[in-house]
Amino acid sequence: NDLHRSAQLLTSIAGLTGVLTMPQNEKGTTGPIAIILDRDESLPQMLRTADRLRNTRPDLTIPIAVILVGPDADGFDDREGRLRLAIATLTVKDNTPVTMERVEASAGAMQELRHVVDQHAPSLIIAQAHALVPDGDVEAGEILDLPYPILLVR
């Protein structure tokens, strides 16, 4: 599928920092910008990207939804606390609504992530390729054949 091919492209071309995918069946929602986060150290760059993109539409208040992904529920409280502190210190506009949600997902349980993403109906998803296609798992990528634009980043 396109998501899997984009992930391969991102990992195989040196110097490429991102790939934007636009699905044929795009829903064209005006929902939040969703950040799917499985590696916490990536949050500052992903949040800055989301903030820049949402500022291209100053007439709209576009919220940011951070979706924390982890293999199990252990550690979510600590992660969320650290990430909320990080969000408070980052240069995101003060009026930007930022929500956080937890998803216990692994290569075998990507349906839950799909469900949460669909609930948000995001206008854009920002994610690292490994979060959407774990270990190159084509089947997991097919589950996440999402009808939303996706910015895959390193």
Side-chain angles (χ1 to χ4, degrees):
N1 70 20
D2 289 338
L3 185 59
H4 187 257
R5 282 193 296 272
S6 297
Q8 285 179 324
L9 182 69
L10 187 62
T11 57
S12 65
I13 298 178
L16 186 62
T17 58
V19 175
L20 180 64
T21 66
M22 298 296 289
Q24 291 179 355
N25 58 344
E26 178 190 356
K27 290 185 177 178
T29 71
T30 57
I33 294 176
I35 296 173
I36 298 176
L37 186 68
D38 68 331
R39 294 185 182 165
D40 297 353
E41 65 274 5
S42 303
L43 179 66
Q45 297 85 0
M46 295 170 94
L47 199 55
R48 278 193 292 274
T49 300
D51 196 41
R52 286 184 191 122
L53 290 170
R54 63 178 292 286
N55 286 329
T56 62
R57 295 293 310 269
D59 54 319
L60 297 175
T61 301
I62 302 172
I64 297 172
V66 178
I67 301 171
L68 297 178
V69 178
D72 55 48
D74 294 340
F76 270 133
D77 289 338
D78 289 339
R79 280 182 72 197
E80 186 173 339
R82 286 192 309 272
L83 292 171
R84 286 192 184 281
L85 276 171
I87 289 169
T89 62
L90 293 171
T91 57
V92 175
K93 289 193 174 185
D94 293 335
N95 62 345
T96 303
V98 179
T99 61
M100 198 168 292
E101 190 161 350
R102 306 167 180 194
V103 175
E104 189 177 323
S106 62
M110 297 302 279
Q111 295 90 349
E112 178 63 21
L113 180 57
R114 169 71 192 246
H115 176 72
V116 170
V117 169
D118 281 340
Q119 283 183 322
H120 284 286
S123 56
L124 175 70
I125 296 170
I126 301 174
Q128 291 178 307
H130 58 80
L132 298 182
V133 187
D135 300 323
D137 184 350
V138 176
E139 186 175 310
E142 287 173 359
I143 291 168
L144 288 173
D145 188 15
L146 299 165
Y148 313 105
I150 301 172
L151 177 59
L152 288 176
V153 295
R154 280 199 192 269

